Each structure stands twice: as structure tokens, then as C-alpha cells.
Amino acid sequence: MKASLKKVSFLSICLVWSIFTYALGSSEGMKSGDNDPVNTEEEVNDYIQHHVKDSHDFHLFDYYSNGEKHEVGFPLPVILWGENGLTAFMSSAFHHDDSGEVVVERNGSRFVKNHGVIYELEAGAETVEFDSEHHPVNATKPFDWSITKSVFGILLMGLLMLIWFGGLARQYKKKAVPTGFGRILEPLVIYVRDEIAKPNIGPKYRKFTGYLMTVFFFVWFLNLVGLMPFGFNVTGQLAVTASLAIITLIIYLFSSNKHFWSHQLWMPGVPYLIRPLLAVIELAGTLLIKPFALMVRLFANITAGHIVVMSLISIGILMQKDMTAFGSTTLSLVLAMFITLIEVLVAFLQAYIFTMLSALFIGMAVEEGEHH
């Protein structure tokens, strides 16, 4: 118990210190004058929108010195399939430029990055140009297989989960009671099995418990990592939540039985004239509404939480005209701390809801009909 309390205290100190340094660092950016890139409401809004998006490099933090912005992070592999085939290079070749002015020449092709999107320029073009509807007129989008920040986060979390839960499985083979980090994971595994999988799926719960545990810990851990000031927002990417929702859809469709489809296509116990209408409604709910709800609920809650925290931190910049630097930073720190503590609860809650709904949808598909 003492060891657990020490770990909780350590995590709490890290959380508080991360918020403090993040808020203080944001306020420091205002001190060097009007040449700083983020010191107005419009620039703060653009910065927040950029923060929640995916990117081709891993950005840790910024600091300002003599009016110049310095970025700290590391590049990620850019893998593109364009007109001349496969091309790969590191994202540092763009020199942190996102305006489309830096041209990278590789494999006979010329690439630029504009607002997070990589374009392949036509012959003779120096920068990408857009029409009135913001469609590129002198460039095309290559097929992007890059290891972006979100992909890096997915691979990293997948590797950590393999190490953690693989170690827990090996401990069970050697002894009845796990030790070390396995003692923290064991009650969580039992919770997902006994409180989520078994009550919602029924006798066939063992077949789907592995998936439910994987999605629960995957979403929960990535939600927690997203609260750290490292720029991670994996579960706030629509493509990630859509992929998880589609996996759940595939599982309960291919595991469904005749009883499920009989109620979907020809609802018993209702007038025959109403059954075709009910079939359309039920099919829309099964194929569209259920996965859409899984996708949007996770995406919207996580993204909204990041935007709220970043907005509160930006108070340290926007209110320095009316308050002292210390006062505005302290205010943003207190408000951001309060919301971040709520987001810690939301991180678990959204993982729980996603897993619970997935188990519920699977349970409805595999439920056997009662014979009277």
C-alpha cells in the first residue's frame, strides 16, 4: 500500500509540474515583444487548432530567446508514394516549415508541406498555389504512409502494452499472485472481465474479453498520455476513433447469430406492415448509428478537453495586458489544473464508456433467443 501511495504521489507531482511549466512557458512567450508568433486571440486560436491536429514531427515544447522561436522535438519518417514511386526522408528536411516555402527534392520529385499536408509540386513550381476553394492548382497530394505523431503514439503504446501484459501473463505461469507492476494491472484486468465483459455479453464473454481489455487499456493509456505536455492527441484524431469503431462493428457483425438478424430484419410481435420500416431503422442503427456514436463520443470529448485546457493556459498570454505576468500565469495555472484533474477522470470514463458500449453491442449480437 505504501508503494502504491508513493507512485500516486509521484504521478500527482509530475502532473502539477507539467501544467506549471506548460503555463509558465506559454506566458514567457509573451515577454519578448510583439514579434512573438502567439500573442493575440487569433494567433492563440490558430495555435490551439494546430496543437490538436496530427503532424509529421514530434514536437515537445517551444521557447523564445531574443524574439526568436526555438522548437524542441525530434523528426519522424516521411513515407510518400508519388508520381516517381516510393520516397522516404525525415521530416526535419522541411525545417519545421508549414507554410509551403521549403521545397524538399527527393527521388526526382519536389515536396512542400502546407498546414500539415504534404504536396508534390509540378515541374517548375516553387510553392503550392490554391484556388478560391483552397484546392491546389500546381500540386497533387501523394499517398502519405508517414509515421506521424499519432502513428508513433499507437506503435509506442502497443509495444508498452505487449511488454506489460506479456509480463503479467508470464507471471501467472510461474506463480499465483503477480508482483511488481503486475499487481497494478491485475485488478484492472479483473474489473474489465467481471464488470464489463461478463455482465454485457453473457456466457460467451471469454471469446471477446481479449478485445475488450485491449481497447480499454489502449484508449485509457493514450488518453492519459494526451494530458501530458508532449503534443500527443491520438484518441483525439477522428481516423483513430473511426478505426476502433469499425473494428467493433466488424466483430459484432461477424459474431451475430440468427436470433439477432431475425429481430433486425423481421421484428416479431409487431404488425406486418410496420416490420419493413422497423427493419430499416434497426439496420441503420446497427450499421451506422452505433459505430458513429462510438467514434464521435470519444473523439469529441478528448478533443474538447484538449481545447479547453489550452484555452485556459492561453489566459496567461491574453490577460497580461490587464494583469501582471505573475497574476495571469497563476490564474491560468489554477484553472488549467482544475480542468486537467477533471480530464484525468474523463480519460478513464471515455475508455470505460467505449468498452462498455462495445461489449453491449457484441452482447446484443450473440444473445440467444429464449424458447418458451
Side-chain angles (χ1 to χ4, degrees), residues 290-333:
K290 289 179 180 177
F292 183 79
L294 286 175
M295 173 186 69
V296 173
R297 178 181 285 106
L298 179 59
F299 161 76
N301 281 278
I302 298 303
T303 302
H306 285 229
I307 292 175
V308 169
V309 172
M310 290 291 293
S311 300
L312 293 175
I313 291 175
S314 67
I315 292 177
I317 298 174
L318 299 178
M319 295 190 66
Q320 285 192 17
K321 296 179 181 179
D322 303 319
M323 302 174 61
T324 63
F326 177 79
S328 59
T329 301
T330 303
L331 178 62
S332 64
L333 169 64

Side-chain angles (χ1 to χ4, degrees), residues 82 91 108 124 149 181 208 215 229 241 269 272 317 333 344 348 350 356:
S91 61
K149 188 166 56 178
F181 190 59
F208 307 99
V215 73
T241 59
Y272 288 100
I317 298 174
L333 169 64
V344 173
F348 172 82
Q350 290 305 315
M356 175 67 75

Side-chain angles (χ1 to χ4, degrees), residues 355-370:
T355 310
M356 175 67 75
L357 290 178
S358 297
L360 183 62
F361 297 157
I362 295 172
M364 295 169 62
V366 302
E367 181 184 12
E368 299 290 343
E370 297 181 1

Side-chain angles (χ1 to χ4, degrees), residues 161 165 185 187-189 191-193 196 209-223 235 244 347-356 358:
M161 288 178 63
F165 292 98
L185 296 177
L188 297 172
V189 170
Y191 175 80
V192 175
R193 184 195 66 184
I196 299 179
T209 300
Y211 167 70
L212 295 177
M213 288 184 179
T214 301
V215 73
F216 174 79
F217 289 107
F218 179 78
V219 173
W220 184 28
F221 291 159
L222 282 176
N223 287 348
T235 48
L244 294 174
F348 172 82
L349 188 61
Q350 290 305 315
Y352 171 81
I353 292 175
F354 192 98
T355 310
M356 175 67 75
S358 297

Side-chain angles (χ1 to χ4, degrees), residues 237-304:
Q237 304 299 326
L238 197 58
V240 175
T241 59
S243 300
L244 294 174
I246 290 173
I247 294 174
T248 298
L249 171 66
I250 293 173
I251 289 176
Y252 71 70
L253 284 182
F254 282 89
S255 303
S256 56
N257 53 29
K258 293 181 179 179
H259 172 73
F260 173 76
W261 287 111
S262 66
H263 282 69
Q264 292 281 309
L265 302 176
W266 202 246
M267 181 73 67
V270 298
Y272 288 100
L273 294 176
I274 302 179
R275 292 186 183 186
L277 177 60
L278 288 178
V280 173
I281 296 174
E282 290 292 333
L283 285 175
T286 299
L287 301 177
L288 297 175
I289 298 175
K290 289 179 180 177
F292 183 79
L294 286 175
M295 173 186 69
V296 173
R297 178 181 285 106
L298 179 59
F299 161 76
N301 281 278
I302 298 303
T303 302

Side-chain angles (χ1 to χ4, degrees), residues 66-87:
N66 298 325
E68 294 184 1
K69 177 182 177 182
H70 302 273
E71 298 185 359
V72 178
F74 56 87
L76 295 171
V78 175
I79 307 172
L80 305 171
W81 184 274
E83 294 183 357
N84 296 320
L86 187 65
T87 304

